[in-house]
Amino acid sequence: MLTTNGQSPDPGAALQGQVFTTRFDKLLGWARKYSLFQYPFVTACCGMEFMSTACSHYDIDRFGAAFPRFSPRQSDVLWVVGTVSQKLAPLLKTVYDQMADPKYVIAFGACASCGGPYDDYSTLQGIDLIIPVDIYIAGCPPRPEAVLDGLLKLQTLIQDSKQEWGS
């Protein structure tokens, strides 16, 4: 189609400032990054630090990780907070298996990451022995700033990962 002066119209100039383009997987990654529903699997003293991170002073909601879900089927981030015993390990595996895909796991503190100070037969020496872990948060217990740093690293991982859709 030609305009009245015989030139073709520039569609980019007509839409400038009104439309932007992106790839669908980038948009989906951005949406997933800021809509994390967490399942807190809290077993020990790190729970106090987890709760303080969720309270108003640090406010984990402003990072798009609000609303803890206590049903694994409605959650996409599993926070394993504290010591996991050998007796509790099968339950943790069941919770992980019930989560919908894509799912992510954060090991919160030294006990969840490597057993912490408990080098005995009854303590699981790291949850990565039974489920895959995406982010490890160091500390015994970790400070809320470290928790928020771990959350931001998980969001970067989600944004940069390949997004599966409708398989």
PDB file of all heavy atoms in Angstrom, residues 79-117:
ATOM      1  N   TRP A  79      11.037 -23.957  50.416  1.00  0.00           N
ATOM      2  CA  TRP A  79      12.071 -23.452  51.329  1.00  0.00           C
ATOM      3  C   TRP A  79      12.268 -24.517  52.387  1.00  0.00           C
ATOM      4  O   TRP A  79      11.371 -24.743  53.193  1.00  0.00           O
ATOM      5  CB  TRP A  79      11.625 -22.167  52.009  1.00  0.00           C
ATOM      6  CG  TRP A  79      11.468 -20.963  51.141  1.00  0.00           C
ATOM      7  CD1 TRP A  79      10.458 -20.708  50.272  1.00  0.00           C
ATOM      8  CD2 TRP A  79      12.324 -19.839  51.082  1.00  0.00           C
ATOM      9  NE1 TRP A  79      10.645 -19.500  49.676  1.00  0.00           N
ATOM     10  CE2 TRP A  79      11.780 -18.937  50.161  1.00  0.00           C
ATOM     11  CE3 TRP A  79      13.506 -19.507  51.730  1.00  0.00           C
ATOM     12  CZ2 TRP A  79      12.380 -17.716  49.861  1.00  0.00           C
ATOM     13  CZ3 TRP A  79      14.092 -18.282  51.431  1.00  0.00           C
ATOM     14  CH2 TRP A  79      13.538 -17.406  50.511  1.00  0.00           C
ATOM     15  N   VAL A  80      13.404 -25.160  52.413  1.00  0.00           N
ATOM     16  CA  VAL A  80      13.708 -26.136  53.465  1.00  0.00           C
ATOM     17  C   VAL A  80      14.535 -25.399  54.509  1.00  0.00           C
ATOM     18  O   VAL A  80      15.693 -25.063  54.280  1.00  0.00           O
ATOM     19  CB  VAL A  80      14.448 -27.358  52.905  1.00  0.00           C
ATOM     20  CG1 VAL A  80      14.711 -28.357  54.025  1.00  0.00           C
ATOM     21  CG2 VAL A  80      13.646 -27.994  51.791  1.00  0.00           C
ATOM     22  N   VAL A  81      13.894 -25.132  55.633  1.00  0.00           N
ATOM     23  CA  VAL A  81      14.450 -24.245  56.655  1.00  0.00           C
ATOM     24  C   VAL A  81      14.762 -25.074  57.887  1.00  0.00           C
ATOM     25  O   VAL A  81      13.866 -25.474  58.616  1.00  0.00           O
ATOM     26  CB  VAL A  81      13.442 -23.125  56.992  1.00  0.00           C
ATOM     27  CG1 VAL A  81      14.029 -22.185  58.035  1.00  0.00           C
ATOM     28  CG2 VAL A  81      13.043 -22.361  55.746  1.00  0.00           C
ATOM     29  N   GLY A  82      16.042 -25.359  58.109  1.00  0.00           N
ATOM     30  CA  GLY A  82      16.442 -26.037  59.333  1.00  0.00           C
ATOM     31  C   GLY A  82      16.889 -27.472  59.118  1.00  0.00           C
ATOM     32  O   GLY A  82      17.085 -27.944  57.998  1.00  0.00           O
ATOM     33  N   THR A  83      17.022 -28.158  60.229  1.00  0.00           N
ATOM     34  CA  THR A  83      17.543 -29.515  60.251  1.00  0.00           C
ATOM     35  C   THR A  83      16.499 -30.503  59.741  1.00  0.00           C
ATOM     36  O   THR A  83      15.338 -30.434  60.108  1.00  0.00           O
ATOM     37  CB  THR A  83      17.927 -29.889  61.693  1.00  0.00           C
ATOM     38  OG1 THR A  83      18.719 -28.853  62.248  1.00  0.00           O
ATOM     39  CG2 THR A  83      18.687 -31.193  61.729  1.00  0.00           C
ATOM     40  N   VAL A  84      16.934 -31.431  58.906  1.00  0.00           N
ATOM     41  CA  VAL A  84      16.058 -32.496  58.427  1.00  0.00           C
ATOM     42  C   VAL A  84      16.625 -33.816  58.937  1.00  0.00           C
ATOM     43  O   VAL A  84      17.761 -34.171  58.638  1.00  0.00           O
ATOM     44  CB  VAL A  84      15.956 -32.499  56.885  1.00  0.00           C
ATOM     45  CG1 VAL A  84      15.094 -33.649  56.407  1.00  0.00           C
ATOM     46  CG2 VAL A  84      15.422 -31.169  56.379  1.00  0.00           C
ATOM     47  N   SER A  85      15.821 -34.519  59.700  1.00  0.00           N
ATOM     48  CA  SER A  85      16.269 -35.807  60.235  1.00  0.00           C
ATOM     49  C   SER A  85      16.025 -36.917  59.205  1.00  0.00           C
ATOM     50  O   SER A  85      15.277 -36.729  58.234  1.00  0.00           O
ATOM     51  CB  SER A  85      15.526 -36.124  61.529  1.00  0.00           C
ATOM     52  OG  SER A  85      14.149 -36.301  61.246  1.00  0.00           O
ATOM     53  N   GLN A  86      16.656 -38.048  59.414  1.00  0.00           N
ATOM     54  CA  GLN A  86      16.460 -39.199  58.515  1.00  0.00           C
ATOM     55  C   GLN A  86      15.002 -39.642  58.510  1.00  0.00           C
ATOM     56  O   GLN A  86      14.481 -40.087  57.497  1.00  0.00           O
ATOM     57  CB  GLN A  86      17.359 -40.361  58.952  1.00  0.00           C
ATOM     58  CG  GLN A  86      18.828 -40.095  58.814  1.00  0.00           C
ATOM     59  CD  GLN A  86      19.302 -40.097  57.361  1.00  0.00           C
ATOM     60  OE1 GLN A  86      18.584 -40.450  56.439  1.00  0.00           O
ATOM     61  NE2 GLN A  86      20.541 -39.681  57.172  1.00  0.00           N
ATOM     62  N   LYS A  87      14.343 -39.488  59.659  1.00  0.00           N
ATOM     63  CA  LYS A  87      12.946 -39.887  59.760  1.00  0.00           C
ATOM     64  C   LYS A  87      12.032 -38.946  58.978  1.00  0.00           C
ATOM     65  O   LYS A  87      11.003 -39.352  58.454  1.00  0.00           O
ATOM     66  CB  LYS A  87      12.544 -39.893  61.239  1.00  0.00           C
ATOM     67  CG  LYS A  87      11.252 -40.556  61.533  1.00  0.00           C
ATOM     68  CD  LYS A  87      11.053 -40.650  63.036  1.00  0.00           C
ATOM     69  CE  LYS A  87       9.787 -41.416  63.361  1.00  0.00           C
ATOM     70  NZ  LYS A  87       9.610 -41.533  64.803  1.00  0.00           N
ATOM     71  N   LEU A  88      12.437 -37.676  58.853  1.00  0.00           N
ATOM     72  CA  LEU A  88      11.641 -36.675  58.153  1.00  0.00           C
ATOM     73  C   LEU A  88      11.923 -36.637  56.651  1.00  0.00           C
ATOM     74  O   LEU A  88      11.125 -36.104  55.873  1.00  0.00           O
ATOM     75  CB  LEU A  88      11.931 -35.305  58.770  1.00  0.00           C
ATOM     76  CG  LEU A  88      10.946 -34.174  58.598  1.00  0.00           C
ATOM     77  CD1 LEU A  88       9.561 -34.590  59.060  1.00  0.00           C
ATOM     78  CD2 LEU A  88      11.419 -32.952  59.349  1.00  0.00           C
ATOM     79  N   ALA A  89      13.037 -37.206  56.229  1.00  0.00           N
ATOM     80  CA  ALA A  89      13.468 -37.130  54.836  1.00  0.00           C
ATOM     81  C   ALA A  89      12.440 -37.682  53.842  1.00  0.00           C
ATOM     82  O   ALA A  89      12.183 -37.052  52.810  1.00  0.00           O
ATOM     83  CB  ALA A  89      14.816 -37.824  54.667  1.00  0.00           C
ATOM     84  N   PRO A  90      11.804 -38.839  54.102  1.00  0.00           N
ATOM     85  CA  PRO A  90      10.797 -39.314  53.143  1.00  0.00           C
ATOM     86  C   PRO A  90       9.613 -38.360  52.994  1.00  0.00           C
ATOM     87  O   PRO A  90       9.052 -38.220  51.903  1.00  0.00           O
ATOM     88  CB  PRO A  90      10.351 -40.655  53.727  1.00  0.00           C
ATOM     89  CG  PRO A  90      11.450 -41.082  54.615  1.00  0.00           C
ATOM     90  CD  PRO A  90      12.058 -39.831  55.150  1.00  0.00           C
ATOM     91  N   LEU A  91       9.241 -37.688  54.068  1.00  0.00           N
ATOM     92  CA  LEU A  91       8.158 -36.714  53.990  1.00  0.00           C
ATOM     93  C   LEU A  91       8.556 -35.522  53.120  1.00  0.00           C
ATOM     94  O   LEU A  91       7.766 -35.041  52.292  1.00  0.00           O
ATOM     95  CB  LEU A  91       7.769 -36.248  55.396  1.00  0.00           C
ATOM     96  CG  LEU A  91       6.681 -35.196  55.468  1.00  0.00           C
ATOM     97  CD1 LEU A  91       5.370 -35.741  54.923  1.00  0.00           C
ATOM     98  CD2 LEU A  91       6.504 -34.708  56.881  1.00  0.00           C
ATOM     99  N   LEU A  92       9.789 -35.039  53.277  1.00  0.00           N
ATOM    100  CA  LEU A  92      10.283 -33.948  52.443  1.00  0.00           C
ATOM    101  C   LEU A  92      10.290 -34.352  50.972  1.00  0.00           C
ATOM    102  O   LEU A  92       9.881 -33.572  50.107  1.00  0.00           O
ATOM    103  CB  LEU A  92      11.691 -33.535  52.892  1.00  0.00           C
ATOM    104  CG  LEU A  92      12.378 -32.459  52.065  1.00  0.00           C
ATOM    105  CD1 LEU A  92      11.602 -31.158  52.111  1.00  0.00           C
ATOM    106  CD2 LEU A  92      13.802 -32.258  52.548  1.00  0.00           C
ATOM    107  N   LYS A  93      10.697 -35.566  50.687  1.00  0.00           N
ATOM    108  CA  LYS A  93      10.702 -36.060  49.292  1.00  0.00           C
ATOM    109  C   LYS A  93       9.281 -36.110  48.737  1.00  0.00           C
ATOM    110  O   LYS A  93       9.046 -35.748  47.575  1.00  0.00           O
ATOM    111  CB  LYS A  93      11.351 -37.449  49.265  1.00  0.00           C
ATOM    112  CG  LYS A  93      11.346 -38.116  47.915  1.00  0.00           C
ATOM    113  CD  LYS A  93      12.390 -37.547  47.010  1.00  0.00           C
ATOM    114  CE  LYS A  93      12.496 -38.403  45.755  1.00  0.00           C
ATOM    115  NZ  LYS A  93      12.377 -37.641  44.547  1.00  0.00           N
ATOM    116  N   THR A  94       8.322 -36.523  49.552  1.00  0.00           N
ATOM    117  CA  THR A  94       6.925 -36.577  49.112  1.00  0.00           C
ATOM    118  C   THR A  94       6.408 -35.174  48.808  1.00  0.00           C
ATOM    119  O   THR A  94       5.725 -34.967  47.795  1.00  0.00           O
ATOM    120  CB  THR A  94       6.055 -37.244  50.198  1.00  0.00           C
ATOM    121  OG1 THR A  94       6.542 -38.553  50.426  1.00  0.00           O
ATOM    122  CG2 THR A  94       4.601 -37.292  49.786  1.00  0.00           C
ATOM    123  N   VAL A  95       6.719 -34.211  49.668  1.00  0.00           N
ATOM    124  CA  VAL A  95       6.300 -32.826  49.430  1.00  0.00           C
ATOM    125  C   VAL A  95       6.884 -32.336  48.113  1.00  0.00           C
ATOM    126  O   VAL A  95       6.180 -31.738  47.290  1.00  0.00           O
ATOM    127  CB  VAL A  95       6.726 -31.918  50.603  1.00  0.00           C
ATOM    128  CG1 VAL A  95       6.605 -30.454  50.238  1.00  0.00           C
ATOM    129  CG2 VAL A  95       5.908 -32.229  51.837  1.00  0.00           C
ATOM    130  N   TYR A  96       8.161 -32.600  47.868  1.00  0.00           N
ATOM    131  CA  TYR A  96       8.799 -32.167  46.623  1.00  0.00           C
ATOM    132  C   TYR A  96       8.134 -32.829  45.416  1.00  0.00           C
ATOM    133  O   TYR A  96       7.860 -32.165  44.416  1.00  0.00           O
ATOM    134  CB  TYR A  96      10.290 -32.510  46.653  1.00  0.00           C
ATOM    135  CG  TYR A  96      10.987 -32.172  45.362  1.00  0.00           C
ATOM    136  CD1 TYR A  96      11.341 -30.861  45.072  1.00  0.00           C
ATOM    137  CD2 TYR A  96      11.270 -33.167  44.432  1.00  0.00           C
ATOM    138  CE1 TYR A  96      11.957 -30.536  43.884  1.00  0.00           C
ATOM    139  CE2 TYR A  96      11.889 -32.850  43.240  1.00  0.00           C
ATOM    140  CZ  TYR A  96      12.230 -31.540  42.970  1.00  0.00           C
ATOM    141  OH  TYR A  96      12.832 -31.222  41.784  1.00  0.00           O
ATOM    142  N   ASP A  97       7.859 -34.109  45.507  1.00  0.00           N
ATOM    143  CA  ASP A  97       7.245 -34.813  44.382  1.00  0.00           C
ATOM    144  C   ASP A  97       5.842 -34.297  44.061  1.00  0.00           C
ATOM    145  O   ASP A  97       5.396 -34.380  42.924  1.00  0.00           O
ATOM    146  CB  ASP A  97       7.187 -36.313  44.668  1.00  0.00           C
ATOM    147  CG  ASP A  97       8.564 -36.948  44.640  1.00  0.00           C
ATOM    148  OD1 ASP A  97       9.495 -36.340  44.076  1.00  0.00           O
ATOM    149  OD2 ASP A  97       8.702 -38.053  45.203  1.00  0.00           O
ATOM    150  N   GLN A  98       5.136 -33.784  45.057  1.00  0.00           N
ATOM    151  CA  GLN A  98       3.767 -33.305  44.841  1.00  0.00           C
ATOM    152  C   GLN A  98       3.709 -31.903  44.250  1.00  0.00           C
ATOM    153  O   GLN A  98       2.646 -31.473  43.823  1.00  0.00           O
ATOM    154  CB  GLN A  98       2.990 -33.336  46.155  1.00  0.00           C
ATOM    155  CG  GLN A  98       2.679 -34.726  46.633  1.00  0.00           C
ATOM    156  CD  GLN A  98       1.945 -34.717  47.958  1.00  0.00           C
ATOM    157  OE1 GLN A  98       1.903 -33.717  48.650  1.00  0.00           O
ATOM    158  NE2 GLN A  98       1.377 -35.852  48.300  1.00  0.00           N
ATOM    159  N   MET A  99       4.818 -31.203  44.232  1.00  0.00           N
ATOM    160  CA  MET A  99       4.817 -29.846  43.687  1.00  0.00           C
ATOM    161  C   MET A  99       4.699 -29.902  42.170  1.00  0.00           C
ATOM    162  O   MET A  99       5.207 -30.806  41.521  1.00  0.00           O
ATOM    163  CB  MET A  99       6.096 -29.108  44.086  1.00  0.00           C
ATOM    164  CG  MET A  99       6.189 -28.819  45.564  1.00  0.00           C
ATOM    165  SD  MET A  99       7.767 -28.131  46.061  1.00  0.00           S
ATOM    166  CE  MET A  99       7.767 -26.559  45.207  1.00  0.00           C
ATOM    167  N   ALA A 100       4.022 -28.890  41.620  1.00  0.00           N
ATOM    168  CA  ALA A 100       3.868 -28.801  40.173  1.00  0.00           C
ATOM    169  C   ALA A 100       5.141 -28.255  39.537  1.00  0.00           C
ATOM    170  O   ALA A 100       5.906 -27.543  40.171  1.00  0.00           O
ATOM    171  CB  ALA A 100       2.702 -27.894  39.836  1.00  0.00           C
ATOM    172  N   ASP A 101       5.361 -28.584  38.278  1.00  0.00           N
ATOM    173  CA  ASP A 101       6.514 -28.067  37.541  1.00  0.00           C
ATOM    174  C   ASP A 101       6.187 -26.709  36.941  1.00  0.00           C
ATOM    175  O   ASP A 101       5.051 -26.493  36.534  1.00  0.00           O
ATOM    176  CB  ASP A 101       6.908 -29.045  36.436  1.00  0.00           C
ATOM    177  CG  ASP A 101       7.584 -30.282  36.984  1.00  0.00           C
ATOM    178  OD1 ASP A 101       8.328 -30.145  37.971  1.00  0.00           O
ATOM    179  OD2 ASP A 101       7.364 -31.360  36.425  1.00  0.00           O
ATOM    180  N   PRO A 102       7.109 -25.811  36.806  1.00  0.00           N
ATOM    181  CA  PRO A 102       8.476 -25.858  37.288  1.00  0.00           C
ATOM    182  C   PRO A 102       8.524 -25.599  38.792  1.00  0.00           C
ATOM    183  O   PRO A 102       7.744 -24.819  39.323  1.00  0.00           O
ATOM    184  CB  PRO A 102       9.158 -24.733  36.515  1.00  0.00           C
ATOM    185  CG  PRO A 102       8.091 -23.752  36.241  1.00  0.00           C
ATOM    186  CD  PRO A 102       6.835 -24.554  36.082  1.00  0.00           C
ATOM    187  N   LYS A 103       9.441 -26.277  39.455  1.00  0.00           N
ATOM    188  CA  LYS A 103       9.574 -26.136  40.900  1.00  0.00           C
ATOM    189  C   LYS A 103      11.032 -25.881  41.255  1.00  0.00           C
ATOM    190  O   LYS A 103      11.935 -26.317  40.545  1.00  0.00           O
ATOM    191  CB  LYS A 103       9.051 -27.366  41.617  1.00  0.00           C
ATOM    192  CG  LYS A 103       9.643 -28.671  41.155  1.00  0.00           C
ATOM    193  CD  LYS A 103       8.874 -29.827  41.760  1.00  0.00           C
ATOM    194  CE  LYS A 103       9.180 -31.117  41.051  1.00  0.00           C
ATOM    195  NZ  LYS A 103       8.326 -32.215  41.502  1.00  0.00           N
ATOM    196  N   TYR A 104      11.196 -25.137  42.333  1.00  0.00           N
ATOM    197  CA  TYR A 104      12.526 -24.715  42.757  1.00  0.00           C
ATOM    198  C   TYR A 104      12.689 -25.013  44.238  1.00  0.00           C
ATOM    199  O   TYR A 104      11.715 -25.019  44.980  1.00  0.00           O
ATOM    200  CB  TYR A 104      12.714 -23.230  42.490  1.00  0.00           C
ATOM    201  CG  TYR A 104      12.391 -22.854  41.070  1.00  0.00           C
ATOM    202  CD1 TYR A 104      11.134 -22.355  40.738  1.00  0.00           C
ATOM    203  CD2 TYR A 104      13.307 -23.036  40.059  1.00  0.00           C
ATOM    204  CE1 TYR A 104      10.811 -22.034  39.426  1.00  0.00           C
ATOM    205  CE2 TYR A 104      13.001 -22.720  38.751  1.00  0.00           C
ATOM    206  CZ  TYR A 104      11.742 -22.213  38.442  1.00  0.00           C
ATOM    207  OH  TYR A 104      11.425 -21.911  37.144  1.00  0.00           O
ATOM    208  N   VAL A 105      13.939 -25.241  44.667  1.00  0.00           N
ATOM    209  CA  VAL A 105      14.218 -25.581  46.057  1.00  0.00           C
ATOM    210  C   VAL A 105      15.325 -24.661  46.579  1.00  0.00           C
ATOM    211  O   VAL A 105      16.332 -24.442  45.911  1.00  0.00           O
ATOM    212  CB  VAL A 105      14.667 -27.051  46.196  1.00  0.00           C
ATOM    213  CG1 VAL A 105      15.049 -27.370  47.627  1.00  0.00           C
ATOM    214  CG2 VAL A 105      13.575 -27.985  45.714  1.00  0.00           C
ATOM    215  N   ILE A 106      15.105 -24.128  47.773  1.00  0.00           N
ATOM    216  CA  ILE A 106      16.103 -23.324  48.462  1.00  0.00           C
ATOM    217  C   ILE A 106      16.470 -24.042  49.748  1.00  0.00           C
ATOM    218  O   ILE A 106      15.589 -24.355  50.550  1.00  0.00           O
ATOM    219  CB  ILE A 106      15.575 -21.919  48.774  1.00  0.00           C
ATOM    220  CG1 ILE A 106      15.304 -21.146  47.479  1.00  0.00           C
ATOM    221  CG2 ILE A 106      16.560 -21.159  49.651  1.00  0.00           C
ATOM    222  CD1 ILE A 106      14.718 -19.768  47.689  1.00  0.00           C
ATOM    223  N   ALA A 107      17.759 -24.318  49.938  1.00  0.00           N
ATOM    224  CA  ALA A 107      18.260 -24.887  51.198  1.00  0.00           C
ATOM    225  C   ALA A 107      18.649 -23.729  52.088  1.00  0.00           C
ATOM    226  O   ALA A 107      19.552 -22.962  51.775  1.00  0.00           O
ATOM    227  CB  ALA A 107      19.458 -25.795  50.944  1.00  0.00           C
ATOM    228  N   PHE A 108      17.941 -23.584  53.182  1.00  0.00           N
ATOM    229  CA  PHE A 108      18.037 -22.416  54.062  1.00  0.00           C
ATOM    230  C   PHE A 108      18.898 -22.774  55.272  1.00  0.00           C
ATOM    231  O   PHE A 108      18.458 -23.518  56.145  1.00  0.00           O
ATOM    232  CB  PHE A 108      16.621 -22.048  54.496  1.00  0.00           C
ATOM    233  CG  PHE A 108      16.478 -20.752  55.216  1.00  0.00           C
ATOM    234  CD1 PHE A 108      15.806 -19.700  54.634  1.00  0.00           C
ATOM    235  CD2 PHE A 108      16.963 -20.585  56.498  1.00  0.00           C
ATOM    236  CE1 PHE A 108      15.636 -18.505  55.303  1.00  0.00           C
ATOM    237  CE2 PHE A 108      16.801 -19.394  57.177  1.00  0.00           C
ATOM    238  CZ  PHE A 108      16.130 -18.349  56.584  1.00  0.00           C
ATOM    239  N   GLY A 109      20.122 -22.293  55.329  1.00  0.00           N
ATOM    240  CA  GLY A 109      20.974 -22.486  56.493  1.00  0.00           C
ATOM    241  C   GLY A 109      21.883 -23.689  56.371  1.00  0.00           C
ATOM    242  O   GLY A 109      21.788 -24.510  55.458  1.00  0.00           O
ATOM    243  N   ALA A 110      22.795 -23.776  57.335  1.00  0.00           N
ATOM    244  CA  ALA A 110      23.817 -24.815  57.311  1.00  0.00           C
ATOM    245  C   ALA A 110      23.229 -26.213  57.465  1.00  0.00           C
ATOM    246  O   ALA A 110      23.689 -27.158  56.811  1.00  0.00           O
ATOM    247  CB  ALA A 110      24.843 -24.555  58.406  1.00  0.00           C
ATOM    248  N   CYS A 111      22.220 -26.386  58.306  1.00  0.00           N
ATOM    249  CA  CYS A 111      21.668 -27.727  58.536  1.00  0.00           C
ATOM    250  C   CYS A 111      21.010 -28.290  57.286  1.00  0.00           C
ATOM    251  O   CYS A 111      21.187 -29.458  56.961  1.00  0.00           O
ATOM    252  CB  CYS A 111      20.667 -27.692  59.687  1.00  0.00           C
ATOM    253  SG  CYS A 111      21.434 -27.384  61.283  1.00  0.00           S
ATOM    254  N   ALA A 112      20.239 -27.461  56.577  1.00  0.00           N
ATOM    255  CA  ALA A 112      19.599 -27.941  55.354  1.00  0.00           C
ATOM    256  C   ALA A 112      20.626 -28.173  54.254  1.00  0.00           C
ATOM    257  O   ALA A 112      20.462 -29.059  53.417  1.00  0.00           O
ATOM    258  CB  ALA A 112      18.529 -26.952  54.889  1.00  0.00           C
ATOM    259  N   SER A 113      21.687 -27.379  54.251  1.00  0.00           N
ATOM    260  CA  SER A 113      22.688 -27.487  53.193  1.00  0.00           C
ATOM    261  C   SER A 113      23.628 -28.668  53.382  1.00  0.00           C
ATOM    262  O   SER A 113      23.950 -29.371  52.424  1.00  0.00           O
ATOM    263  CB  SER A 113      23.512 -26.203  53.118  1.00  0.00           C
ATOM    264  OG  SER A 113      22.687 -25.102  52.812  1.00  0.00           O
ATOM    265  N   CYS A 114      24.091 -28.891  54.634  1.00  0.00           N
ATOM    266  CA  CYS A 114      25.095 -29.943  54.829  1.00  0.00           C
ATOM    267  C   CYS A 114      25.001 -30.629  56.199  1.00  0.00           C
ATOM    268  O   CYS A 114      25.950 -31.276  56.621  1.00  0.00           O
ATOM    269  CB  CYS A 114      26.493 -29.381  54.632  1.00  0.00           C
ATOM    270  SG  CYS A 114      26.914 -28.101  55.809  1.00  0.00           S
ATOM    271  N   GLY A 115      23.920 -30.494  56.886  1.00  0.00           N
ATOM    272  CA  GLY A 115      23.775 -31.126  58.190  1.00  0.00           C
ATOM    273  C   GLY A 115      24.191 -30.245  59.348  1.00  0.00           C
ATOM    274  O   GLY A 115      23.925 -30.571  60.498  1.00  0.00           O
ATOM    275  N   GLY A 116      24.881 -29.153  59.059  1.00  0.00           N
ATOM    276  CA  GLY A 116      25.299 -28.212  60.101  1.00  0.00           C
ATOM    277  C   GLY A 116      26.186 -28.864  61.143  1.00  0.00           C
ATOM    278  O   GLY A 116      27.043 -29.697  60.810  1.00  0.00           O
ATOM    279  N   PRO A 117      25.980 -28.557  62.411  1.00  0.00           N
ATOM    280  CA  PRO A 117      26.831 -29.131  63.456  1.00  0.00           C
ATOM    281  C   PRO A 117      26.470 -30.568  63.807  1.00  0.00           C
ATOM    282  O   PRO A 117      27.159 -31.189  64.607  1.00  0.00           O
ATOM    283  CB  PRO A 117      26.576 -28.193  64.650  1.00  0.00           C
ATOM    284  CG  PRO A 117      25.217 -27.663  64.427  1.00  0.00           C
ATOM    285  CD  PRO A 117      25.045 -27.573  62.952  1.00  0.00           C
TER     286      PRO A 117
END
